[in-house]
Amino acid sequence: MLLVTGGAGFIGSNLVAALNDAGRTDVVVCDTLGSEGKWRNLAKRQLADVVPPTELDAWLKGRRLDAVLHMGAISATTVTDGDLVMERNFRSSLRLLDWCTASSTPFIYASSAATYGDGRQGFQDDPSLAALKALRPMNLYGWSKQLFDTAIAARAERGEALPPQYAGLKFFNVFGPNEYHKGSMMSVLTRRFDDIKAGHTLQLFKSHREGIADGDQRRDFIYVDDVVRVMMWLLASPSVSGLFNVGTGQARSFKEMMLAAYATLGATPRIEYIDMPEAIRGSYQYFTQAKIDRLLAAGYNGGFTPLEDAVAHYIRGYLDSADRFR
């Protein structure tokens, strides 16, 4: 069997879908479904079991698994409960790492570009302990991910035992189907699509930095299909371990993403620019762009979907259809 933690979430459910499409029906999801309809992310899937996170440690005893794909975490960058985040994002990850080490099970896990903080030190996925310690995440979520990356790097540098394959993936700005439960953490395209479709004027932030135009704040937007393709490649490449950025390697602006949505719908753009709230001006990121040299050097050659094509695929296949779920 394969275990996907966070398998009812955004990236996790897309991964489960890809595994089913590849013929794997022996997939176990560990997640909390709650009462907000997150189950719909899995409604089209075939699963071997659904395990609550509180029962995972007991469920793992005596098991043999082909791999653990650890996507489960509190992923909101606005969360403030430090004790809860430490338990969910760090300590539970350590327990899974220890189990995979003891049972010789491949371990692929979600890190985050949030570990890079404001980006002033660049976006190089240097896996060395010294490089990781130099990063300064700007929020609790990013710090929890950095702590786990650092824990693995420390074990590697000390020559301690690790799983036969261990791969951390620093996801950049992922968007695509099944992110609808994420509230304010949804991608800007998903949050604004209904307004665009209804013909309402779209609001984007003005720039408060010299030399950068309004709406030209840039992110490394990556379609969820590309993220899943990287993970499927890792499952098929057991000799590959390490810490890797997962982005396209090309920063694009929020304005470009929205113009791609208008173009897909054949609609005339209606965009106005509003002042960025003063509370976030000092910490707002104007640019993120993944360095993907290490991923490519490791052998990944699956490519990345251009932004305009990804936006069109997402809108036509999901956002602008009766059934938005994958």
Side-chain angles (χ1 to χ4, degrees):
M1 290 189 291
L2 291 164
L3 173 65
V4 181
T5 73
F10 169 36
I11 296 175
S13 64
N14 278 275
L15 175 59
V16 171
L19 290 168
N20 272 186
D21 290 346
R24 295 297 300 252
T25 57
D26 55 345
V27 178
V28 176
V29 164
C30 174
D31 210 335
T32 301
L33 297 181
S35 57
E36 303 302 319
K38 197 163 71 168
W39 66 272
R40 295 186 184 279
N41 287 346
L42 294 172
K44 302 172 186 177
R45 309 277 70 88
Q46 183 175 350
L47 305 172
D49 201 353
V50 178
V51 181
T54 54
E55 298 179 18
L56 182 60
D57 290 346
W59 184 88
L60 284 170
K61 289 181 180 178
R63 298 275 179 180
R64 299 295 301 177
L65 299 174
D66 290 340
V68 170
L69 299 124
H70 183 36
M71 303 291 109
I74 295 174
S75 59
T77 57
T78 55
V79 69
T80 57
D81 189 334
D83 298 313
L84 182 63
V85 169
M86 280 301 97
E87 174 57 32
R88 296 275 186 88
N89 292 9
F90 183 56
R91 297 190 70 228
S92 66
S93 298
L94 287 175
R95 290 194 295 271
L96 266 180
L97 175 66
D98 290 339
W99 186 88
C100 288
T101 300
S103 61
S104 296
T105 304
F107 180 66
I108 297 168
Y109 74 94
S111 181
S112 173
T115 57
Y116 292 118
D118 62 11
R120 293 178 186 177
Q121 294 173 294
F123 302 96
Q124 182 61 53
D125 49 358
D126 185 338
S128 69
L129 190 56
L132 291 172
K133 283 183 174 180
L135 298 179
R136 294 292 179 267
M138 297 172 67
N139 51 59
L140 182 57
Y141 166 70
W143 179 58
S144 71
K145 291 296 186 178
Q146 185 203 20
L147 273 182
F148 189 60
D149 291 341
T150 304
I152 291 181
R155 294 187 186 193
E157 292 197 8
R158 291 194 298 261
E160 296 179 7
L162 285 165
Q165 179 187 27
Y166 59 95
L169 305 177
K170 292 197 174 195
F171 298 133
F172 276 66
N173 287 71
V174 188
F175 70 100
N178 293 10
E179 60 172 319
Y180 320 117
H181 63 284
K182 292 173 66 66
S184 64
M185 293 293 107
M186 288 188 294
S187 69
V188 65
L189 174 58
T190 304
R191 281 187 282 121
R192 301 301 185 217
F193 177 77
D194 288 338
D195 288 337
I196 294 172
K197 182 70 184 292
H200 300 156
T201 298
L202 177 70
Q203 294 182 332
L204 294 178
F205 284 144
K206 291 180 180 178
S207 171
H208 295 273
R209 186 171 295 181
E210 188 175 349
I212 298 177
D214 294 340
D216 199 39
Q217 301 92 335
R218 293 176 176 260
R219 297 286 184 273
D220 193 330
F221 298 110
I222 180 169
Y223 196 42
V224 70
D225 285 7
D226 295 339
V227 166
V228 168
R229 196 177 301 115
V230 171
M231 289 190 282
M232 296 294 284
W233 168 75
L234 280 166
L235 278 175
S237 308
S239 63
V240 177
S241 290
L243 186 63
F244 303 101
N245 282 337
V246 180
T248 65
Q250 183 178 11
R252 301 292 300 274
S253 71
F254 286 102
K255 181 179 180 180
E256 287 174 318
M257 174 176 264
M258 296 302 100
L259 290 177
Y262 280 109
T264 298
L265 292 170
T268 301
R270 300 180 63 183
I271 301 175
E272 68 176 4
Y273 299 97
I274 62 173
D275 285 328
M276 188 181 298
E278 290 191 17
I280 66 172
R281 287 185 196 178
S283 60
Y284 187 82
Q285 281 186 308
Y286 274 72
F287 181 87
T288 67
Q289 181 171 282
K291 298 282 189 180
I292 56 173
D293 312 66
R294 296 191 69 254
L295 182 64
L296 300 180
Y300 182 71
N301 61 0
F304 300 98
T305 310
L307 180 65
E308 287 75 12
D309 293 344
V311 168
H313 186 273
Y314 185 20
I315 289 176
R316 291 170 181 157
Y318 301 97
L319 287 178
D320 199 29
S321 66
D323 182 359
R324 290 184 169 185
F325 292 89
R326 180 174 180 181

